[in-house]
Amino acid sequence: MRKTAVIVFAVLFLTVFLPLTASAKPLDEIQEYTITVDVRDDGTMDIKYHIVWKVLDSTAEGPLEWVKIGIPNKYVDTIAALSDNIKDISYYSEGGDFVRIDFNKSYNADEVLDIDFSIHQSYMYKINYSDSTVSYRFTPGWFEEINVNAIKILW
């Protein structure tokens, strides 16, 4: 009985604590994430993104050469680079709705870069005909494996 209790305890300990100690070190960090939304008279939105991105590790998967940033939906047009470090920018639909940004150089560990771009976004509002109101739902793109130190949404 005592031997079984020790084995159960060991399995529980490894199940709870091993994933915490074996987790991968993050490759990057978002120091600042600002989204500015301006609503047009027709209900569509002009959205500007400003991201301060720090590369933490450029050896595990190589230097940072491109990123994808989540956007609200596929109804996006007029995608524009606003910072001069962007070589190419386009809509990217693999696994969701994103803007893919390719940089004009590779970024290595401890380098910090500003990423600035804008989009024109449609189909974000909902009309409630019973009380003649319009509402918006906006969820900023998130980074599943990257810590975001500060986020600000200006509407």
Side-chain angles (χ1 to χ4, degrees), residues 22-37:
S23 64
K25 180 179 129 181
L27 300 175
D28 303 302
E29 168 185 275
I30 306 297
Q31 296 180 331
E32 193 179 312
Y33 184 23
T34 303
I35 303 167
T36 305
V37 179

Side-chain angles (χ1 to χ4, degrees), residues 34-54:
T34 303
I35 303 167
T36 305
V37 179
D38 291 311
V39 180
R40 293 185 184 181
D41 290 340
D42 65 0
T44 63
M45 301 168 14
D46 292 310
I47 306 175
K48 289 183 182 177
Y49 291 81
H50 172 71
I51 303 168
V52 179
W53 190 297
K54 182 176 183 179

Side-chain angles (χ1 to χ4, degrees), residues 80-135:
L82 302 177
S83 51
D84 60 4
N85 58 349
I86 297 174
K87 177 174 69 176
D88 190 39
I89 186 168
S90 60
Y91 174 72
Y92 184 81
S93 62
E94 189 174 314
D97 297 303
F98 302 94
V99 167
R100 178 183 167 135
I101 298 171
D102 292 278
F103 301 112
N104 57 17
K105 71 170 233 153
S106 299
Y107 292 91
N108 294 299
D110 296 323
E111 288 189 279
V112 177
L113 61 146
D114 286 349
I115 304 168
D116 294 286
F117 68 96
S118 66
I119 61 174
H120 177 239
Q121 186 73 57
S122 301
Y123 295 99
M124 289 295 297
Y125 60 86
K126 179 180 177 183
I127 300 173
N128 185 344
Y129 292 102
S130 64
D131 63 2
S132 299
T133 60
V134 175
S135 62

